[in-house]
Amino acid sequence: MVNRCWLLVSSNPEREQALFDWAVESCLEQNIDLNVIVVLPKIAHHIFEWLEEHQHQDIMQKQIDFELSRRKQWVDTAKQKEVRLTIEVRFGKLYYETIQQANEKKAELLIKQSDDLEDRKNFLFQSDDWHLLRKSPVPLLLYRAQTALPFKSVMASLDVDIEIQPYQPSVFNQSLLVWADRFKGSNSVKVVHAWQSEVENLVKHWDADLNENELIELNEQLYFQHKEALDLELKAHSPVGDKTTVFWCKGEPADSIFNATLEQKVDLLVLGTLGRSGVPGMLIGNTAEDLLERVNCSVLAIKPNAFKSPIS
């Protein structure tokens, strides 16, 4: 039987201590192995030859030993907790080596503390984080240091396609709910669903002769179709009828969901990211990307099983 494992990307162990402690406790509770990957910039071949010529042999091994020594406390902690821990140092591009390692280890979850650029309004993901968000086939937890650990407020963003009738719960939405449950602790998962009125778009762009009462009636019909579909998703996830708080957001999804995370003081947002049509595996969808540019909480980004990463 292959052991389940999580992969933690590490750049600065002092700054990442709280995240490591949480990961160790989570792995202990769920009997999961924890792998740590450290990725250092690759030395160009001509520079490497120059260093060897000037009596700087074993420079790469010395750097590996240094990085391992920085994480000796992590090794000791894992041993004390009886959590299986491995630490590997690689050279190359962080996002590329990380995804390669995740594939090799068949990691169940990829964890990284975000490299945020703080501006006047919020925190912005940096290059490696975006590469991982767009290209990782493994669920990716990007942790932001200002959010609580363990997570106190977990929100899952669900989407439904009411054009499919009769509506059936989707495997993807069920996966989002399962992941949200794993991190919710003793609190209930909150669910947010953003929906837009096709009727209002019709009135705006077409010469549709609809009076106000007809517009209200059609909007109500759309709302109940969305509600019925979402109720089926929640019932499929929890047949016993556990109470789930649902936040209904009418309007542009990125704006609506972002406002919900602020109002509910969300620590972790669980959402699905999908490839844009025509460019499979390269970019995440517009709505998810717009949303990720705004949220200040940690995010757990999950892709469908059919997603193919450009990094094999």
Side-chain angles (χ1 to χ4, degrees):
M1 178 179 178
V2 178
N3 290 333
R4 298 156 61 203
C5 77
W6 287 1
L7 180 60
L8 172 64
V9 184
S10 176
S11 301
N12 186 330
E14 292 78 20
R15 192 172 68 93
E16 299 154 352
Q17 186 62 51
L19 180 60
F20 173 79
D21 290 340
W22 170 83
V24 166
E25 290 294 337
S26 299
C27 289
L28 175 62
E29 293 172 3
Q30 302 177 54
N31 192 28
I32 294 173
D33 294 355
L34 181 59
N35 297 331
V36 174
I37 182 172
V38 181
V39 182
L40 303 175
K42 194 171 185 178
I43 303 174
H45 185 69
H46 66 280
I47 297 177
F48 185 78
E49 287 184 335
W50 183 91
L51 290 169
E52 285 194 326
E53 288 175 4
H54 290 76
Q55 309 303 313
H56 291 284
Q57 290 90 352
D58 301 326
I59 185 172
M60 294 180 70
Q61 186 58 51
K62 289 177 181 177
Q63 193 61 44
I64 291 172
D65 293 341
F66 172 70
E67 293 296 338
L68 294 176
S69 69
R70 293 180 70 194
R71 294 163 179 82
K72 184 179 182 305
Q73 182 183 344
W74 289 11
V75 175
D76 294 340
T77 299
K79 186 176 181 180
Q80 181 183 4
K81 297 282 187 179
E82 297 185 344
V83 171
R84 292 177 293 274
L85 173 70
T86 60
I87 302 176
E88 182 171 343
V89 181
R90 290 193 177 196
F91 296 86
K93 293 181 179 180
L94 185 146
Y95 73 89
Y96 185 90
E97 296 298 329
T98 296
I99 293 176
Q100 288 276 33
Q101 177 83 328
N103 287 331
E104 291 169 13
K105 298 290 186 180
K106 294 182 170 52
E108 182 180 272
L109 177 68
L110 179 57
I111 308 168
K112 184 180 180 298
Q113 187 152 317
S114 62
D115 296 320
D116 288 325
L117 173 65
E118 185 175 359
D119 68 5
R120 289 178 298 175
K121 293 183 179 180
N122 61 355
F123 299 91
L124 304 175
F125 289 126
Q126 291 301 283
S127 175
D128 282 322
D129 294 342
W130 277 114
H131 277 296
L132 291 172
L133 282 164
R134 290 165 174 158
K135 299 170 184 174
S136 172
V138 177
L140 170 65
L141 172 60
L142 277 177
Y143 170 68
R144 283 183 155 145
Q146 75 274 16
T147 52
L149 280 175
F151 301 111
K152 295 179 180 178
S153 177
V154 177
M155 176 175 280
S157 173
L158 300 187
D159 192 20
V160 296
D161 185 358
I162 61 172
E163 294 297 319
I164 300 174
Q165 294 295 332
Y167 186 84
Q168 297 292 328
S170 74
V171 173
F172 191 46
N173 277 336
Q174 296 303 303
S175 174
L176 296 178
L177 290 169
V178 168
W179 275 106
D181 272 349
R182 293 179 68 173
F183 296 125
K184 69 182 179 63
S186 59
N187 301 313
S188 299
V189 171
K190 301 169 184 175
V191 169
V192 61
H193 174 63
W195 66 286
Q196 293 178 288
S197 173
E198 292 84 352
V199 175
E200 292 175 3
N201 290 333
L202 176 68
V203 172
K204 183 178 179 180
H205 298 289
W206 291 57
D207 185 18
D209 187 18
L210 294 174
N211 61 43
E212 184 176 351
N213 288 335
E214 289 173 324
L215 184 60
I216 292 173
E217 182 180 345
L218 283 170
N219 270 327
E220 287 181 347
Q221 180 179 334
L222 282 172
Y223 165 76
F224 282 112
Q225 286 177 329
H226 280 266
K227 185 178 185 304
E228 181 180 23
L230 196 61
D231 286 345
L232 288 171
E233 294 283 3
L234 298 177
K235 186 176 181 180
H237 176 65
S238 181
V240 296
D242 290 348
K243 184 65 176 177
T244 301
T245 304
V246 179
F247 297 89
W248 296 91
C249 303
K250 182 172 175 286
E252 199 280 319
D255 285 336
S256 302
I257 298 170
F258 167 64
N259 290 330
T261 64
L262 290 181
E263 292 169 4
Q264 295 302 311
K265 299 179 180 179
V266 170
D267 296 316
L268 177 65
L269 175 65
V270 181
L271 77 163
T273 59
L274 305 172
R276 291 177 181 152
S277 59
V279 196
M282 288 300 293
L283 297 171
I284 57 179
N286 285 331
T287 298
E289 191 156 317
D290 289 346
L291 177 59
L292 289 167
E293 285 180 342
R294 305 180 198 186
V295 294
N296 290 334
C297 59
S298 299
V299 298
L300 175 58
I302 301 172
K303 295 186 179 67
N305 290 334
F307 174 82
K308 301 296 183 184
S309 173
I311 301 173
S312 59

